[in-house]
């Protein structure tokens, strides 16, 4: 029977070496080029993995992001808006989607102006 002999050196680095390189770059101890040579990991692979690690860290710190958009309102502001809409509905004031968009925009503008003053 024949014996398989690997023909390329693609992905020949270990998980420990790439994890160490990511940690060194993330902590600022080494640059991409120096870490890729020290841990024998391709530089582009290291850059991609560091970018993914930073994005995961940011998304876990800011809560789960859906899509590429950042939230405008905090949870408290969102609940306040919902309560206001429920209050309007109880009083039989119909509100259209365009009215809701206008209301949300005005709330966002006042929130933005208020936070700029602080």
């Amino acid at each position: 029977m024949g014996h398989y002999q690997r023909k390329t050196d693609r992905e020949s680095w270990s998980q420990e070496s790439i994890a160490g390189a990511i940690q060194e770059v993330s902590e600022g101890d080494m640059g991409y080029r120096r870490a890729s040579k020290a841990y024998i990991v391709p530089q582009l692979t290291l850059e991609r993995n560091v970018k993914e690690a930073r994005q995961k860290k940011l998304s876990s710190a800011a809560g789960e992001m859906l899509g590429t958009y950042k939230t405008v309102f905090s949870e408290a502001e969102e609940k306040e808006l919902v309560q206001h809409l429920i209050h309007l509905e109880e009083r039989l004031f119909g509100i259209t989607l365009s009215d809701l968009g206008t209301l949300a925009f005005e709330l966002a503008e006042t929130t933005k102006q208020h936070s700029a003053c602080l």
Side-chain angles (χ1 to χ4, degrees), residues 1-117:
M1 290 295 222
H3 296 283
Y4 176 76
Q5 187 172 11
R6 191 177 171 119
K7 296 172 183 65
T8 66
D9 61 347
R10 290 182 66 165
E11 295 190 31
S12 59
W13 59 89
S14 66
Q15 290 296 324
E16 294 83 24
S17 64
I18 192 127
I22 290 170
Q23 184 176 358
E24 292 285 341
V25 171
S26 297
E27 292 175 355
D29 296 335
M30 288 187 184
Y32 289 110
R33 183 179 295 168
R34 188 170 166 203
S36 71
K37 289 185 187 291
Y39 288 91
I40 310 170
V41 176
Q43 184 175 343
L44 291 175
T45 302
L46 178 59
E47 289 176 13
R48 185 182 65 246
N49 283 301
V50 167
K51 182 180 177 183
E52 289 172 0
R54 286 180 179 159
Q55 286 177 343
K56 285 181 183 176
K57 186 177 179 181
L58 286 176
S59 68
S60 66
E64 189 66 31
M65 275 184 50
L66 299 176
T68 58
Y69 299 104
K70 295 180 182 175
T71 58
V72 176
F73 301 121
S74 66
E75 284 189 42
E77 293 169 335
E78 216 171 294
K79 287 180 182 179
E80 181 182 341
L81 181 60
V82 169
Q83 289 301 319
H84 180 68
L85 292 172
I86 291 172
H87 179 74
L88 287 176
E89 181 64 30
E90 288 172 350
R91 302 280 185 267
L92 299 176
F93 285 104
I95 186 166
T96 63
L97 285 177
S98 61
D99 291 339
L100 175 61
T102 304
L103 181 65
F105 178 77
E106 289 173 359
L107 180 62
E109 286 293 314
T110 57
T111 305
K112 183 174 127 182
Q113 289 174 357
H114 180 67
S115 64
C117 294

